[in-house]
Amino acid sequence: MMIYKQAFSLGMQKAMRYRVNFWMDMVSFIFPLCIQYFMWTSVYHSSANKIIFGYTLGQMLLYAVFAAITSRLVSISFVGEVNNEIKQGGFAKYLVRPVRFLPYQGACFLGEKIMNLIFATLLMVLIGGVFALRYSVQFTALQFVLYYASLILAMVLNYLIYICFCAAGFWLKDGSGAVFIMTLVGNIVSGGIFPIDIFSRKIQFCLKILPFSYTTYFPVSIINGNVNRQGMLTGFGMQVIWIGIMCLITTAVWAKGVKNYTAVGG
């Protein structure tokens, strides 16, 4: 257990050391948000309805901003490292040391993301203030508390999803392609670009059964005030259920991969 506490601490230290990279990453979404701003303002101004897909203009823009922040907070940065560890033989060291690879990487990941979340808090409070003044969007302290709770669960869930796909490296010469494709598709079906409310009811139903929407769409819907109490209970329940399911799937996939693993090189 002490090893994983140290891994968590290392993740926090990494986030502190590379905090400039975090802020640069946050700045990088300004251009895509500008495109969404002009697109949605044009859509709302050309429509007779002030509410489209269940969102006012202020709520839609707020969703776009917080979805961009949330998707970056839950994103995985070590996919390339894991792929290289498997491909180049570095993974072998975890087979002879008293360290379990998945919990170790998870502890590092959570330590890094918790620090990033602390860094992003000031930014989110500032953005919330701007939207409250400009678009009269109201927030409560409870919304932020529930958002943070759902965000931490979303981090765990997203970690399990990505680390499961990383296991493709055990069977493929280069597993990064599978992860790249999953990232592109996942960013859409998770609500990282647009709210999934823009899709038909059948597609929404399917997306809400899958785990992806609970990594971005659900946390952002809480801060946006677009989910009722029953929806929150369902959302938190689905996050916990999918974390349990992905734990079983990921453990089984990695156990199968380790049996087929042959260390070549390092």
Side-chain angles (χ1 to χ4, degrees), residues 13 15-16 40 42 55 105 117 139 182 214 218 235 237 244 250 262:
Q13 293 174 31
M16 288 291 293
W40 286 118
S42 177
Y55 295 80
Q105 287 289 349
L117 181 57
F139 303 94
M182 199 280 293
Y214 300 99
F218 174 62
T250 302
T262 301

Side-chain angles (χ1 to χ4, degrees), residues 106 142 174 188 198:
L142 181 59
D174 190 348
I188 297 174
I198 69 174

Side-chain angles (χ1 to χ4, degrees), residues 76-90:
I76 311 296
S77 61
F78 57 79
V79 170
E81 297 175 15
V82 174
N83 183 62
N84 289 333
E85 290 273 20
I86 297 174
K87 185 170 62 174
Q88 298 176 6

Side-chain angles (χ1 to χ4, degrees), residues 22-36:
F22 170 76
W23 288 113
M24 290 295 291
D25 188 40
M26 285 293 165
V27 171
S28 68
F29 69 72
I30 291 179
F31 180 70
L33 284 179
C34 287
I35 296 176
Q36 288 211 50

